Amino acid sequence: CVSDDCAQGSRIAKALELLRPDTVLFPATVRGRFLSAWVAAKLKTGLTADCTQLALEENGLLRQIRPAFGGNLTAHILCREKRPQMASVRPGVFPLPPPSPQPLFSHHLLAVEEAPFFMQKAGFIPSESALSLQSAPVIVAGGKGIGSKKGFEKLFELAYLLGGAVGATRSAVDAGYIPYAHQIGQTGVTVRPRLYIALGISGLIQHTVGMNGADKVIAVNTDKSAPIFSCADYGILSDWESTADAWIKQLKERKAAL
């Protein structure tokens, strides 16, 4: 491999050989997934990717938890023999801890050999100018029940009025209603908004694993047995479109009165 990512992965592996930590965590971003796999291979240790939960056992083993078999099961994984224990964790899975007046880390200056770079980053162009899902305070999410691209246009209007972003389930993305960048869940992004509005979403674990950290969840569905109601703070048994229309009308009227 001749990319700068491979060179960086080799440097990280060398640094970990010198530091000899017991546990190493990586962000489960596109770059983090690549680097963590490269480093684990270099160190000949195990790696659990895309963890949604972590727990420390009394004997010091890190219990690494992630969905498996399409989200139908939850796998609990231990690295009993090799060190370091390694896992990648999706951004947004854990809440940010409050700032500590005392630093909780130490600095180590390491002499690591330079590696040649055969590639150079010339620039970065964001894929879209919309508010990032992972930083949005409000998310209006739709499932396959939205029914069409036109239906998602109404979700974008509602999200704009609320100062939020639009998310989607995998089934809505697979149906071509909205691009993959909006997908939330096991094969998408993990979010922790203050308010999550789920419209036309059944609530299977493949989706809810990506949004169960939301402060408040409002679910709108015509099926009273939909699993989404079990993880919602407020449930509305209604058609998503009529509910969204009522909210949009009220928000526009309130905005006009200001």
Side-chain angles (χ1 to χ4, degrees):
C1 181
V2 295
S3 74
D4 57 345
D5 284 341
C6 294
Q8 184 178 4
S10 297
R11 288 197 186 106
I12 294 173
K14 185 64 176 178
L16 293 178
E17 284 179 343
L18 296 172
L19 292 172
R20 301 180 64 82
D22 183 74
T23 303
V24 179
L25 301 179
F26 281 81
T29 58
V30 173
R31 188 179 181 87
R33 288 187 181 99
F34 173 86
L35 287 173
S36 59
W38 182 271
V39 172
K42 284 282 187 180
L43 298 178
K44 294 182 173 59
T45 188
L47 169 69
T48 303
D50 280 352
C51 292
T52 55
Q53 295 181 53
L54 296 174
L56 194 62
E57 304 286 293
E58 291 183 1
N59 57 6
L61 289 176
L62 181 69
R63 183 173 293 276
Q64 303 154 53
I65 305 169
R66 70 180 308 278
F69 294 97
N72 296 313
L73 295 175
T74 300
H76 292 239
I77 301 168
L78 300 174
C79 185
R80 296 185 182 277
E81 298 180 4
K82 299 291 185 176
R83 289 293 180 273
Q85 303 173 100
M86 287 183 55
S88 63
V89 183
R90 293 187 187 185
V93 167
F94 298 108
L96 289 174
S100 173
Q102 299 295 328
L104 302 176
F105 57 88
S106 57
H107 294 277
H108 297 271
L109 297 178
L110 303 174
V112 180
E113 294 180 3
E114 286 290 334
F117 284 88
F118 296 92
M119 297 178 68
Q120 182 178 1
K121 183 190 291 184
F124 175 76
I125 301 175
S127 60
E128 56 182 86
S129 58
L131 185 63
S132 166
L133 278 173
Q134 291 178 323
S135 61
V138 177
I139 292 177
V140 179
K144 195 174 181 180
I146 299 300
S148 65
K149 289 183 179 180
K150 187 172 180 63
F152 267 91
E153 291 176 6
K154 191 162 293 186
L155 269 62
F156 275 100
E157 184 179 9
L158 178 59
Y160 173 76
L161 292 169
L162 292 170
V166 174
T169 63
R170 178 175 177 173
S171 59
V173 172
D174 289 345
Y177 300 159
I178 193 169
Y180 170 76
H182 296 269
Q183 185 170 314
I184 295 170
Q186 182 183 349
T187 53
V189 298
T190 300
V191 296
R192 301 183 68 89
R194 294 202 300 271
L195 175 62
Y196 192 90
I197 300 176
L199 303 174
I201 293 175
S202 61
L204 298 179
I205 189 173
Q206 291 92 331
H207 177 71
T208 58
V209 71
M211 47 70 66
N212 57 16
D215 289 343
K216 294 294 180 183
V217 177
I218 300 176
V220 181
N221 204 298
T222 56
D223 180 6
K224 64 180 180 180
S225 61
I228 190 66
F229 287 128
S230 65
C231 59
D233 297 283
Y234 303 97
I236 301 175
L237 193 63
S238 174
D239 172 65
W240 75 265
E241 191 166 13
S242 59
T243 304
D245 285 337
W247 285 341
I248 290 171
K249 179 181 178 182
Q250 187 176 37
L251 288 167
K252 284 183 175 179
E253 290 175 351
R254 182 176 297 181
K255 187 174 182 180
L258 294 177

